[in-house]
C-alpha cells in the first residue's frame, strides 16, 4: 500500500477527539478540496510502499489501542479490507476517515468517520470545481455506509451560509441519527480556528449538532505529523 505517513498523536476531531491514536495516512485522493489540509497526500504515489505486514509492524511500535486510517481518501485502496482485518486481529479500535467516496462492505471498522464535502470545498480552478461538484457527494454510498457501520458525520463549516446545505444533505441521506452529526470550523491555522469557532458554536447551539474540535490545528497549528 502506498503510505504517506504513519505517526502517533491525539485524535483531533470527532467524538474521539483527545484519544491517543496511531494515524496511518494512505496516499491518494481525487477530490482536490480548496481548503484541504493534507494536499501532500493527494498524489496516489506520494510517500512509500509498505506491505500490510510492514504497516502493522509500524503501528505496533506504539502501545496504543486506537488506529485511525486516513488520507488522502483511504476508501479507494483495494487493500483496505485486509489491513483493517489484520489490525482487528490485534484488537485495535479502528476509525476510518472518508468523505464517502465508496461503499466497501467487509471492513473491520469500529467508527466510520464520514466528512461529506459541501460546495464550500470547491477548488478555485473552474475545471477542477466542475469535477469536484460531480464527485463530492454520493448519497447512495453515504446511505450504505450509515446502514452498515457505526458512524459519525462531520461537516466542515466555513460560514453561516453553509447551514442550509448541511441540513439539505442530512435530509437527502435520510434516517440520520442527529446525535452523530458534528460541525467543525474550516481552519488551517490556529488563528483561523479561533476566529471561526464561536460562529460554529452558535450554530451548534441552534441546531443541537455537536461541535467538533480540531486539536491538530489548535495545539500544533496543523503541523504535518500531528
Ligand atoms: S476529500 Fe479530504 S483529503 Fe480529499 S481533497 Fe478533500 S479534504 Fe483533502
Amino acid at each position: 500500500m502506498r503510505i504517506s505517513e504513519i505517526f502517533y498523536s491525539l485524535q483531533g476531531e470527532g467524538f474521539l477527539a483527545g484519544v491517543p491514536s496511531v494515524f496511518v495516512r494512505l496516499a491518494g485522493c481525487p477530490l482536490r478540496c480548496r481548503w484541504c489540509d493534507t494536499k501532500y497526500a493527494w498524489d496516489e504515489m506520494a510517500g512509500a510502499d509498505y506491505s500490510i505486514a510492514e504497516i502493522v509492524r509500524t503501528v505496533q511500535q506504539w502501545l496504543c489501542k486506537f488506529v485511525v486510517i486516513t488520507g488522502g481518501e483511504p476508501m479507494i485502496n483495494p487493500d483496505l479490507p485486509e489491513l483493517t482485518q489484520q489490525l482487528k486481529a490485534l484488537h485495535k479500535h479502528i476509525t476510518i476517515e472518508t468523505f464517502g467516496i465508496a461503499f466497501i462492505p467487509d471492513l473491520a471498522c469500529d467508527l466510520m468517520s464520514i466528512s461529506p464535502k459541501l460546495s464550500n470545498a470547491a477548488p478555485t480552478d473552474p475545471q477542477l470545481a466542475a469535477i469536484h461538484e460531480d464527485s463530492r457527494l454520493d448519497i447512495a454510498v453515504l446511505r450504505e455506509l450509515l446502514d452498515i457501520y457505526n458512524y459519525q458525520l462531520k461537516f466542515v463549516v466555513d460560514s453561516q451560509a453553509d447551514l442550509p446545505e448541511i441540513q439539505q444533505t442530512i435530509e437527502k441521506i435520510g434516517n440520520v441519527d442527529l446525535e452523530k452529526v458534528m460541525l467543525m470550523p474550516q481552519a488551517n491555522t490556529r488563528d483561523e480556528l479561533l476566529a471561526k469557532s464561536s460562529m460554529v458554536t452558535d450554530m451548534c447551539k441552534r441546531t443541537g449538532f455537536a461541535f467538533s474540535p480540531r486539536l491538530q490545528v489548535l495545539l500544533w497549528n496543523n503541523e504535518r505529523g500531528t
Side-chain angles (χ1 to χ4, degrees):
M1 299 177 88
R2 201 74 189 169
I3 298 295
S4 166
E5 55 188 346
I6 301 177
F7 59 96
Y8 180 50
S9 187
L10 302 185
Q11 172 59 284
E13 301 174 356
F15 287 107
L16 291 175
V19 175
S21 305
V22 177
F23 290 78
V24 178
R25 189 181 306 289
L26 305 191
C29 179
L31 212 52
R32 308 290 180 266
C33 296
R34 175 174 54 84
W35 38 251
C36 178
D37 56 1
T38 54
K39 290 179 177 158
Y40 56 87
W42 280 355
D43 183 346
E44 60 188 25
M45 293 314 289
D49 276 327
Y50 281 61
S51 67
I52 290 177
E54 285 169 329
I55 298 170
V56 171
R57 255 201 314 277
T58 308
V59 168
Q60 283 286 79
Q61 71 183 283
W62 295 285
L63 287 174
C64 178
K65 180 178 171 66
F66 289 80
V67 178
V68 180
I69 303 177
T70 186
E73 172 48 74
M75 296 283 275
I76 56 177
N77 195 303
D79 294 324
L80 187 61
E82 179 63 24
L83 174 62
T84 62
Q85 280 144 23
Q86 291 204 21
L87 290 169
K88 186 44 77 182
L90 298 167
H91 309 291
K92 300 295 184 187
H93 177 287
I94 300 165
T95 299
I96 297 176
E97 302 276 358
T98 178
F99 76 83
I101 190 174
F103 173 66
I104 306 174
D106 47 356
L107 296 165
C109 175
D110 298 284
L111 177 62
M112 189 61 73
S113 178
I114 310 168
S115 182
K117 294 300 176 269
L118 303 175
S119 52
N120 69 19
T124 45
D125 177 279
Q127 266 183 330
L128 291 177
I131 296 169
H132 189 274
E133 186 56 29
D134 277 351
S135 359
R136 68 181 170 82
L137 201 61
D138 187 327
I139 295 293
V141 164
L142 292 172
R143 188 60 261 159
E144 283 184 298
L145 290 172
L146 267 55
D147 281 341
I148 296 277
Y149 294 109
N150 179 39
Y151 66 89
Q152 61 187 12
L153 275 184
K154 300 183 296 180
F155 289 95
V156 177
V157 179
D158 199 30
S159 75
Q160 298 270 8
D162 293 334
L163 185 56
E165 191 180 342
I166 292 168
Q167 288 171 321
Q168 283 158 18
T169 305
I170 291 169
E171 273 170 36
K172 277 191 214 161
I173 299 169
N175 200 25
V176 172
D177 182 346
L178 300 181
E179 292 185 1
K180 296 182 174 182
V181 177
M182 304 189 92
L183 306 182
M184 60 186 187
Q186 190 286 103
N188 270 320
T189 65
R190 186 180 293 130
D191 287 347
E192 216 179 344
L193 180 69
L194 294 174
K196 288 186 183 161
S197 286
S198 63
M199 178 264 295
V200 177
T201 305
D202 287 345
M203 208 181 263
C204 289
K205 286 162 76 179
R206 270 187 282 133
T207 58
F209 299 143
F211 179 89
S212 171
R214 304 191 88 172
L215 294 179
Q216 73 279 28
V217 181
L218 183 69
L219 300 177
W220 299 293
N221 214 16
N222 234 353
E223 197 177 307
R224 188 168 170 176
T226 60

